[in-house]
Amino acid sequence: MIVYMGTVNTVCDLSVVAANLMEEGYAVEEVVLEIIDLCAMNGVHVYKYDVEMMLET
């Protein structure tokens, strides 16, 4: 899932972020919350359901 981070004027591939967090040993639920927090800090609203679906594929 690619999102535009308006506060830093760039795009971010959330699947890459998720993969990196999982490599570091984060549990799936922690990854979901970290991604939601990252997006919120950068002015992007994502739904928990959408992030969970991204992680399933």
Side-chain angles (χ1 to χ4, degrees):
M1 177 188 310
I2 297 176
V3 295
Y4 174 71
M5 301 288 190
T7 57
V8 289
N9 200 27
T10 189
V11 294
C12 179
D13 187 346
L14 297 180
S15 59
V16 172
V17 174
N20 288 336
L21 290 173
M22 292 177 122
E23 276 183 10
E24 292 179 19
Y26 282 68
V28 173
E29 187 61 32
E30 291 173 314
V31 171
V32 170
L33 295 176
E34 288 291 328
I35 288 176
I36 291 171
D37 288 345
L38 170 69
C39 289
M41 288 187 300
N42 289 289
V44 177
H45 178 80
V46 294
Y47 291 100
K48 182 178 179 182
Y49 174 81
D50 292 333
V51 176
E52 290 171 342
M53 289 296 109
M54 176 192 68
L55 294 175
E56 286 184 10
T57 57

